[in-house]
């Protein structure tokens, strides 16, 4: 009897304590702004300097440029393809740190689980549409809660 009372006492005490669990994934996790999540890429800002690909320790960025169709522009090249292989990206943040134009920036998004490894190759369109939860220091043009990404 004493044991039951003691057990119930502990149960009621625990019931009144603040919850430490989250209702994820129904409720999105609030992550620190310096969290290193999946990158957002803005093709219009990219100057095809290749610094992000060069610094990447896992060589998971591949990009190509093409001749600028605007003959009057100072930029001779514009970005043509930009891919990141998230099988081997370690989200180290180096690519975004070296980018001189903030064409590539970190977001707080982290959900990449998939049934196929092929789905972990993300192209320029996907990275461009991954424009929610951009870090505050980079999100002047793409505010939190912007257009929804179209995962592919
Ligand atoms: S976060 Fe790191 S590993 Fe991932 S693409 Fe950028 S430099 Fe490469
Ligand atoms: S460092 Fe920035 S501007 Fe240069 S190629 Fe990479 S994304 Fe484009």
């Amino acid at each position: 009897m004493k044991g039951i009372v003691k057990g119930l006492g502990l149960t009621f005490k625990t019931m009144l304590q603040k919850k430490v669990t989250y209702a994820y994934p129904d409720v999105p996790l609030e992550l620190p702004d310096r969290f290193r999540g999946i990158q957002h890429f803005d093709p219009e800002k990219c100057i095809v300097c290749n610094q992000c690909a060069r610094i990447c320790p896992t060589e998971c960025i591949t990009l190509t440029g093409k001749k600028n169709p605007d003959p009057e522009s100072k930029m001779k090249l514009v970005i043509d393809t930009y891919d990141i292989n998230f099988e081997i990206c370690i989200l180290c943040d180096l690519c975004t740190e070296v980018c001189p134009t903030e064409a590539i920036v970190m977001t707080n998004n982290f959900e990449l689980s998939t049934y196929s490894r092929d789905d972990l190759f993300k192209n320029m369109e996907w990275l461009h549409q991954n424009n929610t939860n951009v870090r505050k220091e980079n999100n002047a043009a793409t505010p939190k809660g912007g257009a929804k990404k179209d995962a592919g």
Side-chain angles (χ1 to χ4, degrees):
M1 186 65 185
K2 195 179 163 193
I4 293 173
V5 173
K6 198 175 168 187
L8 283 173
L10 186 63
T11 303
F12 286 124
K13 192 177 155 200
T14 309
M15 278 168 66
L16 297 174
Q17 284 174 356
K18 196 178 168 221
K19 280 185 191 168
V20 293
T21 51
Y22 297 93
Y24 178 83
D26 298 329
V27 179
L29 289 183
E30 279 288 326
L31 294 163
D33 195 47
R34 294 293 298 169
F35 180 81
R36 300 198 300 260
I38 309 158
Q39 298 90 325
H40 162 64
F41 178 72
D42 186 346
E44 291 198 359
K45 289 184 182 173
C46 183
I47 57 173
V48 204
C49 65
N50 216 26
Q51 291 196 61
C52 52
R54 259 195 238 131
I55 202 163
C56 178
T58 63
E59 298 181 355
C60 62
I61 298 177
T62 47
L63 64 91
T64 56
K66 64 180 178 188
K67 200 175 164 198
N68 193 337
D70 179 2
E72 288 177 16
S73 171
K74 285 180 190 162
M75 279 176 56
K76 288 191 177 141
L77 287 177
V78 290
I79 196 77
D80 191 22
T81 64
Y82 193 98
D83 305 303
I84 299 181
N85 177 4
F86 283 99
E87 267 192 283
I88 51 175
C89 172
I90 54 174
L91 297 171
C92 65
D93 197 15
L94 288 175
C95 53
T96 68
E97 288 292 327
V98 295
C99 180
T101 63
E102 296 193 349
I104 185 152
V105 292
M106 286 293 193
T107 73
N108 272 4
N109 301 328
F110 61 91
E111 291 156 323
L112 276 172
S113 53
T114 173
Y115 288 107
S116 167
R117 287 184 164 192
D118 294 342
D119 292 342
L120 293 172
F121 283 81
K122 300 298 186 192
N123 63 16
M124 186 160 76
E125 287 70 33
W126 191 95
L127 292 164
H128 187 213
Q129 286 169 5
N130 182 43
N131 62 357
T132 57
N133 300 314
V134 174
R135 268 189 191 166
K136 282 197 190 89
E137 63 191 39
N138 306 115
N139 76 352
T142 48
K144 188 174 178 176
K148 285 299 277 181
K149 67 182 171 185
D150 181 15

